């Protein structure tokens, strides 16, 4: 029987790889092979102020700990069934906030997973 590892840097690196491959972000994608999760600005701005603050804080914290190349710039084009589609969120300045779902104020939503070919989350209870 071997002694426990005393190399904490290797243990931390291994734990980070395991988290990367099995953690909450990985699980949120479900069986999808999608490499990206895109959230329209209008969607973010429609969230309650507390959520917006948490999002901004988490992204700022991530930018502190991850290298700059972890946050490249992209241009996003909306597709619907593999074809270019009009994007209702493109004109976020004029469109205003997205209306809340009727039940949103009455109950806490179930955990969500991201759909493979859509930016719309799907309920985990449907899988």
């Amino acid at each position: 029987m071997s002694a426990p590892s005393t190399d904490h840097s290797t243990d931390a690196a291994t734990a980070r790889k395991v988290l990367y491959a099995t953690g909450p972000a990985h699980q949120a994608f479900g069986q999808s092979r999608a490499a990206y999760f895109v959230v329209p600005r209008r969607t973010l701005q429609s969230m309650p102020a507390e959520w917006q603050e948490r999002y901004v804080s988490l992204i700022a914290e991530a930018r502190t700990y991850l290298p700059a190349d972890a946050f490249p710039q992209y241009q996003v084009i909306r597709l619907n069934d593999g074809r270019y589609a009009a994007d209702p969120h493109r004109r976020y300045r004029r469109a205003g906030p997205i209306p809340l779902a009727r039940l949103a104020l009455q109950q806490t939503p179930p955990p969500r997973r991201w759909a493979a070919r859509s930016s719309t989350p799907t309920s985990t209870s449907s899988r």
Side-chain angles (χ1 to χ4, degrees), residues 15-91:
R16 189 160 188 256
K17 286 180 184 177
V18 169
L19 176 65
Y20 178 84
T22 63
H26 175 79
Q27 296 298 321
F29 278 91
Q31 297 297 318
S32 160
R33 293 189 180 266
Y36 301 91
F37 176 68
V38 178
V39 181
R41 178 177 181 161
R42 184 172 175 222
T43 301
L44 292 171
Q45 289 182 195
S46 296
M47 293 180 183
E50 180 186 342
W51 295 7
Q52 292 182 42
E53 290 167 0
R54 288 182 0 214
Y55 174 83
V56 169
S57 176
L58 284 170
I59 295 300
E61 187 174 354
R63 287 181 182 270
T64 300
Y65 290 100
L66 296 171
D69 62 355
F71 299 93
Q73 290 186 345
Y74 289 93
Q75 180 175 344
V76 177
I77 299 171
R78 183 176 182 196
L79 299 177
N80 188 6
D81 293 327
R83 295 176 171 223
Y84 294 116
D87 186 353
H89 303 297
R90 188 172 151 261
R91 295 179 172 234

